[in-house]
Amino acid sequence: MSVLKAENVTHYFDGLAAVSGFNLNLEPYELVGIIGPNGAGKTTIFNLITGVYKATRGSISFDGAEIVGRTPSAITALGIARTFQNIRLFKELSVLDNVRIAHYARVKYSPVEALLHMGRFQKEEEEIIGHSMDLLAFLKLDAYADEVSKNLPYGLQRRLEIARALATRPQLLLLDEPAAGMNPNEVSQLMEFIKWIRKEFDLTILLIEHQMHLVMNICERLLVLDFGETIAEGLPRDIQKNPRVLEVYLGEVKC
Amino acid sequence: MMINTSRIRQFKEKLETKRWLLPALLVFVFALSLVIQQFELLDPYVQLIIMYVGINIILTLSLNLINGYMGEFSVGHAGFMAIGAYVASFLTVKVFPADMAAWLFPLAVMAGGAVAGVVGLVVAFPSFKTRGDYLAIVTLAFGMIVKSVIENIDALGGPRGFLGMEKLSTLPWVFFWVLVSVWVIRNLIYSNFGRGVLSIREDEIASDLMSVNTNHVKVLAFTVSSFFAGIAGGLFAHLLQFINPRAFDIIKSTDILIMVYLGGIGSIAGSVIGATVYTVLLEVLRPMGIWRMVFMPLVLVLLMIFRPRGIMGLREFRWFVPVRDMLASRLWREKKAGT
């Protein structure tokens, strides 16, 4: 059964079609990339999947359940997590708090129990700290647990964003330009990192990226978007030769 | 001078590690407040100022939850205070039997807080869709609506005000309510909901996408905040023994804002310090007459230039931080090393 299934998803911004007729079927453990020029609607697709925007038409189902119309927090709680093109950490909060916040949906104690420090409160709070620290240690961030997150170097901020997304225990991880601002050396490290977390956390991954090196190397399948429309879909090596893709990226090919 | 500051710092460090001091101190102060009240050990004027400080601490904490911790901008908090004040006063004067008023006073204050808390929802709902400047205008309008509604209810005295309350706010009661507000806000902030509140301030969209139900969090924060503003109103009414709608206008809301930003956003210690410094300073400067209204804003301007986050902005006195949170990473490491 597919993890995510988008059928004929269309979204308008004031009459302008940002995404039209978008289809996607993600099988478990797949690693799929979305590429396309700026403004092609890539991030809009992420926003549609995660519920930031509500699709004008079409359906998106996750694990068989329709998710169009649900709130972002409910969709995240179902098992879809994401990172952002421009890092959106909780800047003034500690690294540990950033990860702890991502446990929100799993907490079962009520505000009253929190007030009185009664019932499940102590146990659950300790579990959250334990799980968060374990996760940070796993991603080699535990040494920074008490640092204010904005003080971390750029590369670690990117990694913390992934750690925070993983803390929601997703099935599907959406990475929005994970390699933005990285040098070639860091990009190859990132590729290994993405493959590694996919294996360790048994994830299905959908990523947006401009760095062709990364996309061509790790994605099993690619979607190319232009002006909101899917113009090509297939294996990376076929995409590289697709005339329409070349046209979009390099300009019209005249014979 | 250098030696001096390092000594103060050392003293502060030492003080903060002795956590048992806090409950001991609180019990002592509470006992002291009872004794003072019983034997009238303090000048009534000084007692009055101390009670103002207490009420202002509650108000500052209450607004800090919304403006400081959650990063929204409410400018209508005097409205919630008014609701608490009028509900509590109406109960003690018109509803409760006169000879029982003193005994039922805590109930009246609670009821005032509860009604204010429910009305807080009215502001929580627009906050789902609106934020920043726009939410500020919604709260501003809310404050004005409360004022004009009261002005038009004859049973509450309309613009003439409402009187007949006994002086039921006493040092022990005020101290008790300050304790409750500090305790409730501290326990909420250092819990899942508190982290949700902080994440809304930092980045609301990211917060939603990290599974935080921001609507729930906002409802909770607005309810708790307006509840305590209502409590402060009830205490205020039974201290002054006279209230009128003008006492709860935009100037009052501004006063609370000033105390929040003076003391520092997102800090319990900051709220206590801000409310105390502002209230006491205004009293001490009374001989300056109208000039204190020049002096105080000047102090604020300078503070915003040199310390834009206020005295304790985003920092906390360690006594208020639960050990589990303060030492989270260390305790985890020790546990790992142990096993």
Side-chain angles (χ1 to χ4, degrees), chain A residues 45-71:
Chain A
I45 285 172
F46 272 21
N47 284 335
L48 289 168
I49 295 173
T50 52
V52 176
Y53 302 146
K54 187 171 175 285
T56 317
R57 271 203 307 275
S59 109
I60 305 172
S61 60
F62 175 71
D63 242 354
E66 180 65 40
I67 56 172
V68 173
R70 296 198 196 204
T71 62

Side-chain angles (χ1 to χ4, degrees), chain A residues 42-148:
Chain A
K42 304 184 295 296
T43 300
T44 307
I45 285 172
F46 272 21
N47 284 335
L48 289 168
I49 295 173
T50 52
V52 176
Y53 302 146
K54 187 171 175 285
T56 317
R57 271 203 307 275
S59 109
I60 305 172
S61 60
F62 175 71
D63 242 354
E66 180 65 40
I67 56 172
V68 173
R70 296 198 196 204
T71 62
S73 55
I75 291 171
T76 308
L78 281 177
I80 302 180
R82 72 176 279 187
T83 64
F84 301 91
Q85 194 175 343
N86 318 309
I87 301 176
R88 299 188 86 142
L89 289 170
F90 305 123
K91 289 197 194 74
E92 298 286 348
L93 306 182
S94 74
V95 168
L96 175 61
D97 279 345
N98 266 275
V99 178
R100 279 207 284 179
I101 286 166
H103 288 75
Y104 187 92
R106 270 206 308 286
V107 165
K108 289 188 190 71
Y109 64 74
S110 68
V112 177
E113 282 169 290
L115 266 190
L116 304 174
H117 282 191
M118 260 172 29
R120 293 165 284 192
F121 177 77
Q122 301 279 6
K123 194 171 150 276
E124 284 193 41
E125 280 291 295
E126 263 155 40
E127 278 171 9
I128 291 172
I129 292 174
H131 182 254
S132 304
M133 286 302 297
D134 286 343
L135 184 64
L136 286 174
F138 197 64
L139 302 185
K140 299 197 172 53
L141 284 165
D142 55 322
Y144 308 96
D146 297 321
E147 296 280 340
V148 175

Side-chain angles (χ1 to χ4, degrees), chain A residues 19-33:
Chain A
V19 173
S20 55
F22 179 76
N23 289 299
L24 175 68
N25 195 1
L26 284 179
E27 296 298 326
Y29 205 61
E30 255 194 314
L31 207 171
V32 174

Side-chain angles (χ1 to χ4, degrees), chain B:
Chain B
M1 196 63 194
M2 281 307 288
I3 303 156
N4 217 348
T5 54
S6 82
R7 249 200 209 150
I8 291 171
R9 190 159 299 147
Q10 264 177 24
F11 176 71
K12 186 170 161 273
E13 295 265 309
K14 225 182 216 172
L15 203 66
E16 285 185 320
T17 50
K18 292 195 168 51
R19 294 180 74 91
W20 55 268
L21 265 172
L22 183 65
L25 207 67
L26 294 178
V27 170
F28 174 73
V29 174
F30 188 65
L32 194 68
S33 72
L34 281 170
V35 173
I36 289 173
Q37 189 217 354
Q38 199 65 37
F39 302 103
E40 303 207 348
L41 294 179
L42 267 179
D43 182 53
Y45 172 69
V46 176
Q47 280 195 41
L48 185 77
I49 303 306
I50 294 175
M51 281 190 265
Y52 272 142
V53 169
I55 291 168
N56 283 340
I57 289 174
I58 300 173
L59 284 170
T60 310
L61 271 171
S62 139
L63 187 63
N64 213 333
L65 184 60
I66 303 297
N67 288 31
Y69 288 105
M70 196 155 77
E72 299 288 1
F73 200 82
S74 165
V75 285
H77 247 56
F80 297 119
M81 195 187 167
I83 292 168
Y86 271 91
V87 169
S89 306
F90 190 77
L91 286 176
T92 54
V93 176
K94 296 261 171 90
V95 179
F96 296 158
D99 49 338
M100 293 289 278
W103 291 101
L104 294 172
F105 174 56
L107 205 67
V109 173
M110 279 285 279
V115 174
V118 171
V119 177
L121 290 174
V122 174
V123 181
F125 283 102
S127 83
F128 293 171
K129 295 269 174 210
T130 330
R131 56 173 304 143
D133 307 350
Y134 300 97
L135 184 66
I137 289 170
V138 171
T139 59
L140 182 69
F142 166 78
M144 289 172 171
I145 291 168
V146 170
K147 184 168 166 266
S148 39
V149 164
I150 295 171
E151 274 172 350
N152 286 294
I153 299 178
D154 239 13
L156 295 177
R160 280 163 285 125
F162 191 81
L163 66 169
M165 294 82 90
E166 284 180 63
K167 195 172 173 226
L168 296 171
S169 291
T170 58
L171 272 182
W173 271 127
V174 172
F175 185 73
F176 168 79
W177 281 112
V178 170
L179 273 190
V180 171
S181 61
V182 169
W183 181 74
V184 166
I185 286 178
R186 181 254 201 190
N187 282 4
L188 273 187
I189 284 302
Y190 293 100
S191 79
N192 198 37
F193 311 100
R195 290 192 293 271
V197 168
L198 297 178
S199 72
I200 290 177
R201 176 187 71 205
E202 295 297 318
D203 189 327
E204 191 171 338
I205 290 178
S207 163
D208 237 326
L209 288 166
M210 289 305 131
S211 80
V212 177
N213 190 331
T214 50
N215 288 358
H216 279 185
V217 171
K218 284 175 182 174
V219 165
L220 188 72
F222 271 102
T223 310
V224 170
S225 172
S226 38
F227 171 79
F228 281 113
I231 295 284
L235 292 171
F236 177 78
H238 289 84
L239 181 59
L240 223 65
Q241 297 172 266
F242 168 69
I243 46 175
N244 71 23
R246 259 163 301 136
F248 306 104
D249 61 3
I250 180 79
I251 305 287
K252 186 77 203 173
S253 293
T254 318
D255 269 345
I256 313 172
L257 279 172
I258 290 172
M259 290 187 281
V260 167
Y261 292 96
L262 174 72
I265 59 161
S267 167
I268 295 168
S271 304
V272 175
I273 294 171
T276 311
V277 168
Y278 187 70
T279 317
V280 172
L281 215 58
L282 272 184
E283 279 311 312
V284 172
L285 297 176
R286 204 169 273 280
M288 284 173 78
I290 199 72
W291 283 101
R292 71 181 176 151
M293 293 306 164
V294 178
F295 180 80
M296 277 315 288
L298 208 63
V299 169
L300 283 169
V301 170
L302 290 175
L303 185 89
M304 288 299 119
I305 292 170
F306 292 107
R307 219 172 162 131
R309 279 176 175 173
I311 300 169
M312 288 290 286
L314 297 182
R315 291 181 308 145
E316 194 60 276
F317 199 59
R318 272 184 277 171
W319 276 359
F320 294 124
V321 186
V323 179
R324 185 192 45 250
D325 288 86
M326 196 164 58
L327 303 176
S329 62
R330 212 174 90 191
L331 292 175
W332 176 83
R333 278 186 203 107
E334 278 166 14
K335 214 164 102 189
K336 283 275 136 148
T339 50

Side-chain angles (χ1 to χ4, degrees), chain A:
Chain A
M1 200 178 94
S2 60
V3 174
L4 188 87
K5 192 166 190 168
E7 281 174 307
N8 203 23
V9 173
T10 301
H11 190 65
Y12 289 98
F13 288 121
D14 295 330
L16 182 81
V19 173
S20 55
F22 179 76
N23 289 299
L24 175 68
N25 195 1
L26 284 179
E27 296 298 326
Y29 205 61
E30 255 194 314
L31 207 171
V32 174
I34 301 179
I35 60 171
N38 286 328
K42 304 184 295 296
T43 300
T44 307
I45 285 172
F46 272 21
N47 284 335
L48 289 168
I49 295 173
T50 52
V52 176
Y53 302 146
K54 187 171 175 285
T56 317
R57 271 203 307 275
S59 109
I60 305 172
S61 60
F62 175 71
D63 242 354
E66 180 65 40
I67 56 172
V68 173
R70 296 198 196 204
T71 62
S73 55
I75 291 171
T76 308
L78 281 177
I80 302 180
R82 72 176 279 187
T83 64
F84 301 91
Q85 194 175 343
N86 318 309
I87 301 176
R88 299 188 86 142
L89 289 170
F90 305 123
K91 289 197 194 74
E92 298 286 348
L93 306 182
S94 74
V95 168
L96 175 61
D97 279 345
N98 266 275
V99 178
R100 279 207 284 179
I101 286 166
H103 288 75
Y104 187 92
R106 270 206 308 286
V107 165
K108 289 188 190 71
Y109 64 74
S110 68
V112 177
E113 282 169 290
L115 266 190
L116 304 174
H117 282 191
M118 260 172 29
R120 293 165 284 192
F121 177 77
Q122 301 279 6
K123 194 171 150 276
E124 284 193 41
E125 280 291 295
E126 263 155 40
E127 278 171 9
I128 291 172
I129 292 174
H131 182 254
S132 304
M133 286 302 297
D134 286 343
L135 184 64
L136 286 174
F138 197 64
L139 302 185
K140 299 197 172 53
L141 284 165
D142 55 322
Y144 308 96
D146 297 321
E147 296 280 340
V148 175
S149 64
K150 69 171 179 186
N151 294 342
L152 289 188
Y154 183 78
L156 292 184
Q157 289 194 22
R158 284 251 169 232
R159 206 193 302 168
L160 174 58
E161 237 201 354
I162 294 176
R164 189 179 64 170
L166 290 174
T168 64
R169 296 195 199 173
Q171 246 183 292
L172 169 64
L173 182 62
L174 312 177
L175 300 171
D176 198 344
E177 295 197 28
M182 288 187 173
N183 64 36
N185 190 18
E186 288 169 321
V187 172
S188 39
Q189 278 177 11
L190 179 74
M191 289 196 297
E192 291 311 310
F193 182 71
I194 292 173
K195 282 191 221 163
W196 178 68
I197 57 167
R198 173 167 74 145
K199 190 160 92 5
E200 293 293 334
F201 294 89
D202 193 21
L203 294 167
T204 309
I205 295 179
L206 181 64
L207 63 84
I208 293 173
E209 192 45 75
H210 277 303
Q211 306 240 13
M212 286 306 143
H213 174 56
L214 182 141
V215 180
M216 294 298 166
N217 268 299
I218 67 170
C219 293
E220 287 145 4
R221 202 147 60 85
L222 282 182
L223 262 79
V224 189
L225 247 62
D226 191 31
F227 289 113
E229 292 191 43
T230 312
I231 56 165
E233 188 178 352
L235 299 172
R237 58 168 189 275
D238 296 335
I239 294 289
Q240 274 171 313
K241 292 177 204 130
N242 186 307
R244 279 203 71 188
V245 176
L246 291 174
E247 190 185 312
V248 163
Y249 272 92
L250 304 170
E252 206 173 333
V253 184
K254 289 195 176 108
C255 300

